[in-house]
Amino acid sequence: MIKVITYGTYDLLHQGHINLLRRAKELGDYLIVGVTNDSFDRERGKLNVFNNVLERVEAVKATGLADKIIIEDYVGQKIDDIQKYDVDIFAIGSDWEGKFDYLNEYCRVVYLPRTEGISSTMLREDLQDDIRIGVVGTGRIAKRFVPESEFVSYVKITDVFDTDFGKSCFFAEQNRIVNVRHSYDELLENVDAVYVATPHLSHYELCKKAILKKKHVLCETPMVLNGVEAKELFKLAEKYGVVMMEANKTAHSPAFNHLITMIKSGVIGDVVDVSASESKLWGDRFTRELDPKQAGGSMFEMGSYTLLPIIKLMGLDYTNINFYSKMRDGVDVYTRGVIRYPHGVCSFQLGLGVKTEGNLVISGTKGYAYVPSPWWLTDYYEFRFEDQNLNKKFFYKWDGAGLRYEIQEFVSCIFNHRFSTARLRRRESVVMAEIMQQFMERKNFMEI
Ligand code: CTP
């Protein structure tokens, strides 16, 4: 039996792909198709892929030409696959002519004629105009958002609005944004989506207004500080056919995502404890971050990051939660939260006025995962075991401020009419908002 292998992204599967797969199949008796994983594509700088890996695998499956479909995850995997599956022929389109000659050492390499006049890139361009995004609020995070959006195809930041018009003008000039709007309504009239980066307490009203005008919303984390409001916004967004997403950059980081999937597949056994810590010493600058009237404090400022690994790994059904906080001028400058689950206990530490180690440790029955500070923007983690020879380190790409990954997912949700992203499910956002609410209401709260 002659085995043939070929690889590709197969985004928006088209006739060129089908022709290629047919030609590859004709070279032998058994065709293996490698579909590139989303994280691998991102690592290669391909941030504009429309369909996620599951959708792309389904599309290849539907051609009926593949005998086996595998996922391509890392550089060098082709050699491993060729040996593992005992492949005779590696086939790829002629646009790659010469690039895979190094595989000749392992099997025969065949460059097949490419179908002229069609490609995923062309289809993506035809299919969609740029999404016009309006930025609302011009603080620190918004400043990072605009340059990051330039790495994502099919989005354009066209408009800006801030309650301080002078600030809007300055922001627009700095970021080459064409339209400075005098009101939020005016901005909403002129965009397809908004990025809400205003102080926490204004999020709910701004998101709701945008949804009612049928605009997609990417809202900075914490989205809202109330579970009922979170549920309402998601429900409303679905009703109006728009995407509502909480912008938690860590949830979209390639390293973090892989860490979660590996742990879920049992690498460190059953997870019993997740301890996440984050701190950012704020000093005495009196800004929104320390203002009790604007929901300042450590919990609201950073809590959603430390809750993320806990909720992702342990789920939504915790049995109870307790908060221990050091207060200063009406806000928590330090909070430790302890969350009990039926089969585990988790904790998080947050400090605006207390410095903590800032790492993430996930303990399981077979070993533990260690992610050094700053784990929330990580490109590296380790699995450690009793037998140190088994320890393993993993390295990833984390580009710039890392916001491009969440923007890309937002765009992908819009294009594919997905109301929820697996990276941060709506119900996960809701549980985070409920926990924020408990803290706001000082439930199970103790001052230290
Ligand atoms: N292919 C082809 N003819 C085309 C387009 C792609 O034969 N018109 C082949 C490629 O050479 C490759 C496989 O299909 O062997 C998968 O390619 P992929 O990169 O997924 O498709 P493209 O349409 O080229 O994607 P993009 O525009 O994003 O580069």
Side-chain angles (χ1 to χ4, degrees):
M1 181 163 73
I2 298 172
K3 281 189 179 173
V4 183
I5 198 162
T6 188
Y7 294 84
T9 304
Y10 305 103
D11 189 25
L12 300 171
L13 196 106
H14 54 68
Q15 195 56 43
H17 294 139
I18 296 170
N19 295 345
L20 190 285
L21 292 175
R22 191 177 318 109
R23 285 174 192 142
K25 175 110 181 174
E26 282 164 9
L27 291 173
D29 311 302
Y30 189 83
L31 178 65
I32 305 172
V33 181
V35 179
T36 48
N37 205 352
D38 295 332
S39 50
F40 185 54
D41 270 330
R42 273 198 297 275
E43 257 175 65
R44 302 192 298 158
K46 253 188 144 165
L47 289 174
N48 54 358
V49 176
F50 265 40
N51 300 134
N52 66 32
V53 65
L54 293 180
E55 292 159 343
R56 293 183 284 112
V57 165
E58 281 308 316
V60 170
K61 203 187 269 175
T63 65
L65 292 162
D67 296 293
K68 185 178 184 65
I69 299 176
I70 58 172
I71 305 290
E72 187 184 20
D73 257 322
Y74 58 90
V75 185
Q77 185 182 322
K78 292 186 178 77
I79 295 176
D80 286 346
D81 290 340
I82 290 167
Q83 291 174 332
K84 183 162 135 197
Y85 298 110
D86 207 9
V87 166
D88 303 287
I89 299 172
F90 170 88
I92 194 96
S94 51
D95 47 323
W96 295 96
E97 188 81 50
K99 299 257 174 35
F100 289 101
D101 288 356
Y102 70 92
L103 294 175
N104 269 314
E105 200 183 320
Y106 306 93
C107 67
R108 211 177 116 214
V109 175
V110 176
Y111 296 101
L112 292 167
R114 188 178 157 92
T115 308
E116 291 306 318
I118 189 161
S119 74
S120 303
T121 307
M122 282 167 58
L123 289 178
R124 285 190 292 254
E125 268 157 20
D126 287 352
L127 204 76
Q128 188 70 44
D129 292 331
D130 283 348
I131 296 173
R132 297 165 303 161
I133 299 186
V135 172
V136 192
T138 57
R140 270 174 302 118
I141 189 80
K143 284 193 187 82
R144 281 183 253 150
F145 185 85
V146 183
E148 284 285 311
S149 72
E150 282 161 19
F151 293 95
V152 184
S153 310
Y154 316 111
V155 290
K156 197 158 176 46
I157 312 290
T158 53
D159 294 61
V160 60
F161 168 70
D162 191 293
T163 44
D164 182 332
F165 189 68
K167 268 188 171 173
S168 295
C169 292
F170 184 70
F171 188 86
E173 202 181 306
Q174 295 274 301
N175 294 290
R176 297 186 305 276
I177 296 174
V178 183
N179 306 306
V180 185
R181 300 297 176 186
H182 288 268
S183 72
Y184 186 46
D185 285 323
E186 191 190 339
L187 178 133
L188 287 176
E189 288 305 317
N190 291 286
V191 297
D192 308 303
V194 286
Y195 170 58
V196 177
T198 54
H200 314 322
L201 293 176
S202 58
H203 288 176
Y204 171 73
E205 287 302 332
L206 292 170
C207 292
K208 189 167 173 178
K209 213 164 179 184
I211 294 168
L212 293 174
K213 292 253 159 114
K214 295 202 166 130
K215 308 297 172 182
H216 305 285
V217 183
L218 179 62
C219 179
E220 254 315 315
T221 190
M223 188 176 93
V224 284
L225 307 174
N226 179 300
V228 178
E229 287 180 359
K231 273 189 201 149
E232 186 199 333
L233 289 179
F234 285 129
K235 235 179 158 172
L236 211 58
E238 190 162 339
K239 181 172 163 203
Y240 281 79
V242 291
V243 174
M244 167 83 236
M245 204 171 112
E246 178 165 4
N248 184 318
K249 62 178 180 297
T250 306
H252 300 274
S253 126
F256 181 78
N257 272 292
H258 206 210
L259 171 74
I260 298 296
T261 49
M262 287 190 76
I263 292 178
K264 286 209 177 223
S265 58
V267 177
I268 56 166
D270 297 332
V271 177
V272 173
D273 187 312
V274 181
S275 299
S277 163
E278 183 170 345
S279 69
K280 156 167 92 181
L281 270 196
W282 206 250
D284 290 326
R285 282 172 287 155
F286 188 73
T287 52
R288 172 187 66 73
E289 287 75 2
L290 293 177
D291 184 355
K293 292 202 186 68
Q294 297 193 66
S298 312
M299 182 65 192
F300 297 145
E301 187 56 22
M302 297 174 288
S304 56
Y305 290 107
T306 50
L307 284 172
L308 178 73
I310 297 175
I311 290 174
K312 279 269 159 217
L313 290 168
M314 305 299 277
L316 308 171
D317 302 320
Y318 59 91
T319 23
N320 65 45
I321 180 164
N322 286 289
F323 304 100
Y324 304 89
S325 298
K326 178 176 170 58
M327 304 295 289
R328 196 175 73 203
D329 302 325
V331 296
D332 59 315
V333 287
Y334 175 78
T335 289
R336 177 186 272 275
V338 181
I339 310 183
R340 199 160 75 80
Y341 279 88
H343 304 290
V345 61
C346 301
S347 65
F348 57 86
Q349 278 181 295
L350 300 160
L352 282 177
V354 172
K355 195 66 197 156
T356 68
E357 159 61 23
N359 58 16
L360 168 66
V361 181
I362 301 158
S363 308
T365 50
K366 292 186 186 154
Y368 71 94
Y370 173 75
V371 195
S373 172
W375 66 267
W376 53 95
L377 351 146
T378 195
D379 56 359
Y380 163 75
Y381 59 82
E382 270 182 68
F383 287 130
R384 295 179 179 169
F385 301 92
E386 192 63 43
D387 175 359
Q388 290 183 19
N389 295 315
L390 299 175
N391 289 4
K392 229 173 165 181
K393 297 180 179 178
F394 295 83
F395 299 87
Y396 298 82
K397 216 168 144 96
W398 172 270
D399 282 324
L403 300 177
R404 63 194 68 176
Y405 307 114
E406 74 186 16
I407 304 173
Q408 193 246 341
E409 182 65 4
F410 181 56
V411 173
S412 164
C413 284
I414 295 175
F415 286 155
N416 294 298
H417 309 288
R418 277 190 286 133
F419 292 114
S420 193
T421 161
R423 312 241 189 94
L424 180 58
R425 293 249 170 248
R426 288 181 290 189
R427 50 182 185 271
E428 293 168 338
S429 275
V430 168
V431 168
M432 284 190 195
E434 284 167 358
I435 292 175
M436 295 294 173
Q437 187 178 353
Q438 292 191 46
F439 187 78
M440 177 81 95
E441 292 166 1
R442 300 285 188 255
K443 285 205 177 122
N444 303 315
F445 173 87
M446 202 174 280
E447 206 171 326
I448 54 168

